[in-house]
Amino acid sequence: MTSLEFPPGFGWGAATAAYQIEGAWDEDGRGPSIWDDFSHTPGKVLNGDTGDVAVDHYHRFEGDVGLMREVGLTAYRFSISWTRVLPAGAGEVNQAGLDFYRRLVDRLLEAGIAPWPTLYHWDLPSPLEAAGGWPDRDTAHRFADYAAVVHEALGDRVRNWTTINEPWCAAFLGYASGEHAPGRRDGAASLRAAHHLMLGHGLAVEAMRARQPANRFGAAVNLYAVSAASGHPDDLDAARRIDGLQNRFFLDPLLLGRYPDDVLADVADLGFAPADADLKTIAQPLDHLGVNYYTRHTVSGRPGEATQAVSSPFSSHSPWVGSGHVRFVDGGRPATGMGWEIDEEGLLEVLTRLHREYPALPLHITENGAGYDEVPDAGGTVHDEGRIDYVRRHLTACHRAIAAGVPLRGYFVWSLLDNFEWAWGYGKRFGMIHVDYATQRRTLKDSARWYAEVIERGAL
Ligand code: PNW
């Protein structure tokens, strides 16, 4: 077998997010976020699970950095909890919260691991939601203020910054289908939320870049390959709509400074009227774009059997504003334990499309991975062949993209550790490191050992 070598300097990472791993939800001055409120509400998260303790990373981060070293990571993507830094979302700064991230960044730098913080991974401060949340324009300004506070504290040590994670999820799962916090079901509000998430991104980049132009700034979007179930015009129209809402509704404003006309027409009934001036702010020049990729959507515009939810066991309401008639159908591929079909060709498609249709920009895979219901063997090890196969396939696609000239600079597996999988609670495991939730004991899975070898060799 020939080996696939990655370019020197290619980043080998793993990703996590604050609410999913930290725990310590009410310690050292942290204020409440919409995910605390949501998970504390019965019927929102499977088994009533919460992130109150999660994998206790807040108290165990030093050991966790040690595990990253063991795997040989060169970069670590994590998110910063807004309410650790600003307990009320705005106003008073909580030094203890900032200190936690300072210590984490210091440990990473000592270990030779590049810190890749994300400023917003879905944990909006509760008082800001009470004031209207992301559908309210002020939230974008509060986000930029918060970004400036964090950047002031860490901008000298952290080079690579990601503003928002997956605005599609934050806007449409949070405000249209209600499967994620804050659990609202209002299509018009969800469109404004998407707009203000991107506006907040633009304002934050402006503020941080003014402070430190040498840093590198980007956003992370969840992109999908989209196929029509058949060549029937209704199925082709469904594919255009879903590609529009999922991919172009975010890529076009962020990278081209405009919304796609066809999507605006699809949602015309919802009174969405973004200001032109905002689009200039949203389309700040970026230094990198983060791509989160998991699967392909295969869709039909014709009536038929309803399919399963992807993001919550409690899903009933569509996140697809203006296109609620579209059906997600079986594309006929093997799937992970999330029911998400495995399709590395889709990743290649997404990357080459970005390269072809958008301005040239260094890219990173900021998330890619597979979730399963897993149990360790008698010796305590998880033999996660499925995850190894998933990551190998997608890294092969990355290699092909690079060979085709796509400026892909690094890969972050989702996730470093098993953790709180949003509406699925602790029921799905994405980690390369197993966590026994009763004892918080960490054990490398087979995939972590395999990944360590790949990193060591810089090749598949
Ligand atoms: C992403 N969907 O979430 C997030 O960035 C992670 O925090 C999460 O743990 C990971 O992927 C695995 O789920 C998503 O329904 C959640 O389309 C739901 C969807 C997509 C991404």
Side-chain angles (χ1 to χ4, degrees), residues 16-17 20 77 121-122 165-166 168-169 173 179-180 220 222 224 246 292 294-295 297 309-312 319-320 338 340 366-371 414-415 419-424 428 430:
T16 63
Q20 296 179 273
R77 175 172 183 246
H121 202 122
W122 309 352
N165 179 68
E166 301 190 351
W168 182 87
C169 290
L173 299 180
E179 295 155 74
H180 281 182
N222 52 321
Y224 295 72
Q246 179 84 71
N292 295 1
Y294 289 94
T295 190
H297 294 318
V310 285
S311 46
S312 163
W320 303 102
M338 296 297 287
W340 299 352
T366 33
E367 286 182 26
N368 174 246
W414 184 271
S415 178
N419 60 52
F420 176 81
E421 178 51 29
W422 307 115
W424 292 94
K428 301 285 179 197
F430 272 90

Side-chain angles (χ1 to χ4, degrees), residues 249-397:
F249 195 67
F250 298 93
L251 291 174
D252 289 13
L254 290 168
L255 303 179
L256 306 175
R258 56 173 158 76
Y259 279 100
D261 288 333
D262 62 314
V263 182
L264 292 181
D266 294 339
V267 300
D269 291 349
L270 293 166
F272 180 58
D276 277 348
D278 288 355
L279 282 151
K280 281 194 97 160
T281 306
I282 289 171
Q284 294 302 311
L286 296 186
D287 300 298
H288 55 80
L289 182 75
V291 175
N292 295 1
Y293 177 85
Y294 289 94
T295 190
R296 175 189 299 273
H297 294 318
T298 304
V299 297
S300 166
R302 291 183 285 167
E305 243 174 76
T307 46
Q308 200 192 312
V310 285
S311 46
S312 163
F314 309 116
S315 155
S316 54
H317 211 80
S318 173
W320 303 102
V321 293
S323 292
H325 67 285
V326 173
R327 286 186 308 124
F328 287 66
V329 304
D330 191 343
R333 299 173 190 82
T336 68
M338 296 297 287
W340 299 352
E341 289 183 29
I342 301 166
D343 186 14
E344 70 276 15
E345 293 296 324
L347 175 57
L348 183 61
E349 221 172 275
V350 162
L351 291 173
T352 48
R353 182 223 198 146
L354 271 171
H355 190 47
R356 200 175 54 236
E357 296 177 20
Y358 294 90
L361 187 65
L363 304 175
H364 287 83
I365 304 300
T366 33
E367 286 182 26
N368 174 246
Y372 296 96
D373 310 87
E374 288 170 331
V375 262
D377 68 8
T381 309
V382 176
H383 302 294
D384 53 344
E385 282 309 314
R387 181 169 296 107
I388 294 175
D389 182 63
Y390 182 97
V391 174
R392 183 192 283 122
R393 284 170 183 275
H394 288 83
L395 279 172
T396 303

